């Protein structure tokens, strides 16, 4: 909590020389904050030095919602009506569903990784199914999408993940082992991005850590690895096999 700021020119003139007043913090957690304010004759603004986020809501001592405002173009603020004396509670109601969704996705990734270890049907057990495999142009399309999403850094990650896929395809490993490495590699990067978000989604300088380069880059690497794995790379030469 940073300060209590006078909101109107009239109140500033009435209390000439008054300065910003630090609020008394009673409780401060990632999704719930409680501060104490004293009675005042004029409206004030409770300022939190964090980026404005519509998910936050504030209520006064009587439980009435407070009007949200933007301070200095980016900071979160709420108007404290004149005569308010007591505790002001700030809540972020979407924090619990957000974290449930993140950890739910994590659980699904673990299930996907476990399924990758389950052996498939034995040869001759049924009719052969011809898997769909995109051509080389699909890889170029993925590169174009990466460039559209992240610019030159995305294009660099596209090239690096493509090289990693070629290197993996050149290793003398059973096909099942190479497939498992692709799944674990792609899901591992996505998992790292999700854990980065889950540890503190609203503590970045920009207000939301998901807008930063690390979680976005990790997630993009996971998606690119999965996209590259759909190309029918041959083990020798590092070039895609032509479909017959």
């Amino acid at each position: 909590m940073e300060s209590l700021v006078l909101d109107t020119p009239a109140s500033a003139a009435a209390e000439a020389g008054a300065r910003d007043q630090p609020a008394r913090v009673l409780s401060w957690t990632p999704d719930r904050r409680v501060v104490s304010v004293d009675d005042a004759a004029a409206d004030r603004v409770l300022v939190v030095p964090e980026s404005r986020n519509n998910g936050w809501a504030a209520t006064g001592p009587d439980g009435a919602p407070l009007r949200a405002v933007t301070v200095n173009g980016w900071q979160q603020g709420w108007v404290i009506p004149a005569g308010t004396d007591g505790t002001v509670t700030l809540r972020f109601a979407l924090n619990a569903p957000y974290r449930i969704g993140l950890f739910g996705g994590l659980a699904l990734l673990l299930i996907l990784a476990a399924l990758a270890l389950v052996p498939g049907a034995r040869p001759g057990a049924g009719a052969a199914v011809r898997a769909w495999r995109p051509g080389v142009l699909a890889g170029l399309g993925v590169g174009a999408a990466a460039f559209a999403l992240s610019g030159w850094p995305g294009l660099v990650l596209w090239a690096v993940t493509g090289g990693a896929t070629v290197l993996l395809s050149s290793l003398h490993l059973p096909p099942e082992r190479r497939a498992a490495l692709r799944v674990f590699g792609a899901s591992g990067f996505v998992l790292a991005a999700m854990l980065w978000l889950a540890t503190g989604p609203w503590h970045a300088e920009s207000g939301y850590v998901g807008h930063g380069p690390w979680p976005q880059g990790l997630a993009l690497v996971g998606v690119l690895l999965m996209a590259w794995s759909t190309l029918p790379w041959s083990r020798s030469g590092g070039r895609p096999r032509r479909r017959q």
Side-chain angles (χ1 to χ4, degrees):
M1 187 60 58
E2 186 177 80
S3 60
L4 287 172
V5 185
L6 297 178
D7 186 40
T8 63
S11 61
E15 301 183 19
R19 296 182 178 180
D20 296 349
Q21 302 174 5
R24 294 193 303 273
V25 178
L26 304 180
S27 174
W28 195 274
T29 64
D31 57 353
R32 188 176 186 274
R33 291 98 181 256
V34 180
V35 299
S36 177
V37 296
D38 297 327
D39 188 7
D43 291 352
R44 295 166 293 172
V45 176
L46 180 65
V47 181
V48 178
E50 297 177 356
S51 297
R52 172 73 183 272
N53 190 315
N54 292 330
W56 283 98
T59 55
D62 58 353
L66 302 179
R67 179 168 62 91
V69 294
T70 302
V71 181
N72 296 328
W74 65 278
Q75 291 179 320
Q76 188 89 57
W78 288 272
V79 176
I80 308 297
T84 301
D85 186 11
T87 58
V88 173
T89 304
L90 316 179
R91 292 186 179 89
F92 192 84
L94 298 178
N95 188 57
Y98 177 83
R99 291 181 182 272
I100 291 174
L102 284 179
F103 286 105
L106 170 62
L108 292 177
L109 280 177
L110 295 177
I111 294 174
L112 177 62
L115 291 176
L117 301 177
V118 178
R122 297 180 180 179
V129 178
R130 185 176 182 180
W132 175 80
R133 291 183 179 272
V136 180
L137 291 179
L140 299 177
V142 172
F147 180 76
L149 290 173
S150 305
W152 292 109
L155 199 60
V156 171
L157 292 179
W158 170 79
V160 171
T161 52
T165 303
V166 173
L167 178 62
L168 177 61
S169 300
S170 65
L171 298 178
H172 293 278
L173 295 174
E176 295 80 7
R177 182 70 60 83
R178 288 200 300 271
L181 288 176
R182 291 190 183 100
V183 172
F184 279 108
S187 60
F189 279 98
V190 176
L191 172 62
M194 294 177 63
L195 289 177
W196 197 296
L197 288 174
T199 54
W202 310 110
H203 293 284
E205 294 181 358
S206 60
Y208 177 56
V209 72
H211 294 159
W214 281 106
Q216 292 195 17
L218 291 171
L220 181 59
V221 168
V223 173
L224 289 174
L225 286 174
M226 186 60 67
W228 276 116
S229 68
T230 61
L231 290 176
W233 296 96
S234 61
R235 192 172 64 180
S236 60
R239 295 182 178 180
R241 296 192 300 268
R242 293 183 178 180
R243 291 183 296 179
Q244 298 178 352

